[in-house]
Amino acid sequence: METKRLSQQDIQTAADLLRAGGLVGIPTETVYGLGANGLDPAAVGRIFQAKGRPQDNPLILHIPGADWLERYCRDIPAAAYELARRFWPGPLTMVLRRRDNVPDQVTAGLDTVGMRCPAHPLCRAVIQAADVPVAAPSGNTSGRPSPTTAAHMLEDMDGRIDAILDGGPCSVGVESTIVDLTCTPPRLLRPGGITLEQLRAALGEVAVDPAVTRLMGAGERPRAPGMKYRHYAPKAPVTVVTGAPERSAAYIAAHAGPGDGVICFEEFLPMYAGGARPVMSLGPAGDKGEQARRVFDALRAFDHTAVSAIWAQCPDSGGIGLAVTNRLNKAAGFHIVEA
Ligand code: AMP
Ligand code: MG
């Protein structure tokens, strides 16, 4: 199929395509999403085909506001409305008990559903015009780094979706924070733009799922099916180097082969300059927001090179640093060395 390129004048076209069962690439503040009408099982099924996504990995339903939660969820705890008041619209997904009108294709058969109210103005306009909840995972081929520009999404999806709406580069750059509100205490399933510190300030105790910070062992059952898959991976294997930035930079300089790729903080670019080596900057060591915006672009960029290995510096896990390190660690299959 031919993938139509849409821009902000085409919001109604995007909404009409969604209502007609089509697949539309949609800008959000986190990453580009692959959207379909979340009430149309056949349309949702095509999301899995286009991405090559395993059937047991659930999707998130995107809604215009917390007033739609009751339509699709039941037993909604007060915490959900408190989080919505503080952080919606924004990069936060809440896992809640589903109602029967949510298709099994969206939830991968779970009795819970992930709900998010996105902040990107074009995304909100499309959802409102379509007047349906939009089911959307990230717009990458399954397993690849998530797209943060329309061009990156087209690398994976051109010819596989009906249209893409270009809303410019994503302002957060990593996928939404996911918090499970069906357990006590609430549990962080995926770190993102709303930080663990912000969740704890709102809710008190919040547990962190072990899959956020380490590889699940063989035979261990992940809390959500999606957590068991290798993710965000460029084609070459990645090694993450932890420790103070000066130490990790020196470690990489000492260990990387001449043709290996490097992802480093801006300050250390000169250390790797001059050779044939492809180097991507993650942004300044002190600016984790910028690191979040750049991490997927950095990982994706190496696929246009011949590198056989990639070495990456990473920030500490405070604030949105937890999301940046989580994406790098997952891209590395949790292959981490301490400098
Ligand atoms: P993505 O496909 O990149 O947008 O990621 C969606 C994420 O949301 C996946 O990691 C899913 O496993 C997670 N998710 C969606 N719905 C649920 C749910 N009901 N329970 C737990 N995780 C969920
Ligand atoms: Mg994804």
Side-chain angles (χ1 to χ4, degrees):
M1 76 175 67
E2 194 212 329
T3 300
K4 289 195 191 77
R5 271 64 166 170
L6 306 179
S7 56
Q8 57 185 21
Q9 309 81 263
D10 305 313
I11 284 164
Q12 194 57 48
T13 308
D16 292 344
L17 281 168
L18 287 172
R19 288 192 67 93
L23 296 185
V24 181
I26 295 174
T28 84
E29 73 277 24
T30 59
V31 300
Y32 273 72
L34 206 181
N37 176 355
L39 301 178
D40 177 342
V44 172
R46 283 196 285 279
I47 292 177
F48 287 82
Q49 270 174 17
K51 281 184 63 102
R53 185 179 175 96
Q55 294 288 339
D56 65 351
N57 194 359
L59 308 177
I60 293 168
L61 274 189
H62 295 76
I63 55 174
D67 53 329
W68 279 35
L69 282 177
E70 275 290 339
R71 297 187 192 182
Y72 308 112
C73 307
R74 59 189 169 78
D75 308 332
I76 302 169
Y81 291 104
E82 178 57 21
L83 290 181
R85 192 183 64 75
R86 292 194 191 214
F87 304 123
W88 277 6
L92 177 70
T93 298
M94 306 183 211
V95 171
L96 296 165
R97 298 216 181 286
R98 65 181 271 200
R99 286 191 191 276
D100 292 340
N101 57 354
V102 180
D104 280 338
Q105 284 81 354
V106 171
T107 67
L110 298 174
D111 63 356
T112 57
V113 59
M115 303 294 297
R116 177 161 113 80
C117 172
H120 194 293
L122 289 190
C123 177
R124 296 177 60 73
V126 170
I127 298 171
Q128 250 136 11
D131 199 30
V132 292
V134 173
S138 52
N140 49 286
T141 299
S142 196
R144 298 248 303 137
S146 302
T148 56
T149 63
H152 285 175
M153 181 156 173
L154 283 168
E155 283 178 3
D156 288 11
M157 291 299 155
D158 201 6
R160 306 178 74 86
I161 58 176
D162 296 283
I164 182 164
L165 179 60
D166 192 338
C170 301
S171 60
V172 177
V174 290
E175 303 86 340
S176 60
T177 302
I178 303 182
V179 63
D180 187 347
L181 295 180
T182 67
C183 48
T184 312
R187 177 181 290 250
L188 179 72
L189 300 184
R190 178 173 74 184
I194 300 301
T195 65
L196 180 59
E197 294 87 339
Q198 285 175 298
L199 291 179
R200 286 183 171 152
L203 301 179
E205 190 184 358
V206 176
V208 177
D209 197 277
V212 170
T213 50
R214 65 172 175 80
L215 194 61
M216 310 266 348
E220 241 179 317
R221 264 192 68 181
R223 175 132 199 131
M227 302 170 89
K228 78 184 183 206
Y229 298 105
R230 183 161 184 250
H231 246 106
Y232 315 131
K235 288 163 190 161
V238 180
T239 303
V240 171
V241 185
T242 61
E246 291 71 24
R247 280 212 316 277
S248 56
Y251 183 98
I252 291 171
H255 289 81
D260 291 357
V262 173
I263 297 174
C264 68
F265 299 125
E266 192 98 4
E267 294 85 336
F268 300 98
L269 279 173
M271 247 170 112
Y272 309 103
R277 168 181 290 157
V279 182
M280 292 296 297
S281 167
L282 206 49
D287 187 349
K288 292 172 183 170
E290 184 63 16
Q291 294 162 27
R293 277 186 289 278
R294 290 196 193 190
V295 64
F296 284 131
D297 297 13
L299 289 166
R300 199 169 260 272
F302 291 105
D303 287 347
H304 304 291
T305 72
V307 299
S308 54
I310 299 166
W311 300 77
Q313 288 192 282
C314 76
D316 69 67
S317 59
I320 199 171
L322 185 63
V324 176
T325 50
N326 169 262
R327 302 314 188 273
L328 285 170
N329 288 344
K330 290 192 105 177
F334 286 87
H335 186 239
I336 306 164
V337 297
E338 164 95 50

